[in-house]
Amino acid sequence: MLETVIVALWVMIPAYVPNSLAVVAGGGKPIDGGEKIGERRVLGDGKTWRGTVVGTVGGVSTALILNQLVPMVKDLGFEVEPFTLYVAFGLAFGSMLGDICASFLKRRTGRERGSSFILVDQLDFVAGSLILSFILDSGWITDILGLMSLAVILVLTPIIHVSANVIAYGLGLKKEPY
Ligand code: CTP
Ligand code: MG
């Protein structure tokens, strides 16, 4: 069980990092260019080009750094494998895409920027990263992650996400603690 949890969380690190980086790097031009659908913004000012690019590059870089640590983690007895570039990009960019889709959904359902959308906020990037990395390198994903790993990810991610956001809120990096 510990093995499953460690490997599952290890795989998700390049998907977790982009969101935190986007918060720090955010600002500048919004992706939707201020466009609206009806009364509401397509995505809103919370989704920017800079946040998305910095988050994606940061997530891929994180995966490449983790790859250097694979021999050490294997020595500890955990069966991790180096991320392929496809998987690294899929996890990092997929994470940003999932978050962007969630904002689209939030605006369409009348939720203002920064409002909370429980479970969607916590799992949008998990869905995006797993789906895109699966599309780009399904062999790698299915070799490393089983159904049990998926369950672990779905249960632990919201807990980790909320904890990280409470800390970011406490540090004054984020406007809301979710
Ligand atoms: N951010 C960004 N680009 C992204 C994602 C996030 O610039 N692709 C930055 C923005 O400054 C954003 C902050 O990170 O305000 C927090 O991200 P998030 O909570 O996802 O955005 P919200 O501002 O809460 O907006 P939304 O309601 O659309 O989620
Ligand atoms: Mg938010």
Side-chain angles (χ1 to χ4, degrees):
M1 186 63 199
L2 178 68
E3 155 93 22
T4 311
V5 171
I6 299 285
V7 173
L9 292 182
W10 176 271
V11 170
M12 291 309 284
I13 295 174
Y16 292 155
V17 166
N19 287 276
S20 325
L21 278 180
V23 173
V24 184
K29 282 206 174 63
I31 296 173
D32 67 10
E35 293 292 323
K36 294 181 176 182
I37 298 178
E39 295 284 289
R40 311 237 168 224
R41 288 283 295 276
V42 178
L43 300 173
D45 285 330
K47 304 297 115 133
T48 68
W49 288 108
R50 195 165 78 208
T52 308
V53 170
V54 171
T56 303
V57 172
V60 172
S61 311
T62 303
L64 298 179
I65 293 168
L66 291 178
N67 280 354
Q68 304 305 308
L69 305 176
V70 163
M72 198 189 82
V73 179
K74 277 194 160 177
D75 280 346
L76 293 172
F78 303 110
E79 282 310 308
V80 292
E81 293 297 331
F83 296 99
T84 61
L85 257 188
Y86 283 121
V87 170
F89 178 79
L91 290 171
F93 186 56
S95 165
M96 295 273 82
L97 271 186
D99 179 56
I100 289 169
C101 290
S103 289
F104 182 80
L105 205 69
K106 284 165 89 172
R107 300 303 92 81
R108 302 290 75 70
T109 53
R111 290 173 168 82
E112 297 298 335
R113 173 187 177 188
S115 65
S116 125
F117 195 168
I118 229 141
L119 283 183
V120 171
D121 277 333
Q122 285 78 43
L123 291 173
D124 50 15
F125 61 96
V126 173
S129 56
L130 289 179
I131 292 170
L132 190 61
S133 52
F134 182 80
I135 291 172
L136 294 178
D137 194 344
S138 55
W140 195 95
I141 294 291
T142 49
D143 275 354
I144 307 273
L145 299 178
L147 278 182
M148 197 57 206
S149 319
L150 279 186
V152 165
I153 291 169
L154 290 181
V155 172
L156 290 187
T157 301
I159 299 173
I160 295 169
H161 188 244
V162 170
S163 315
N165 284 345
V166 168
I167 293 171
Y169 175 74
L171 293 173
L173 293 172
K174 226 174 167 287
K175 284 200 213 67
E176 313 88 18
Y178 43 78

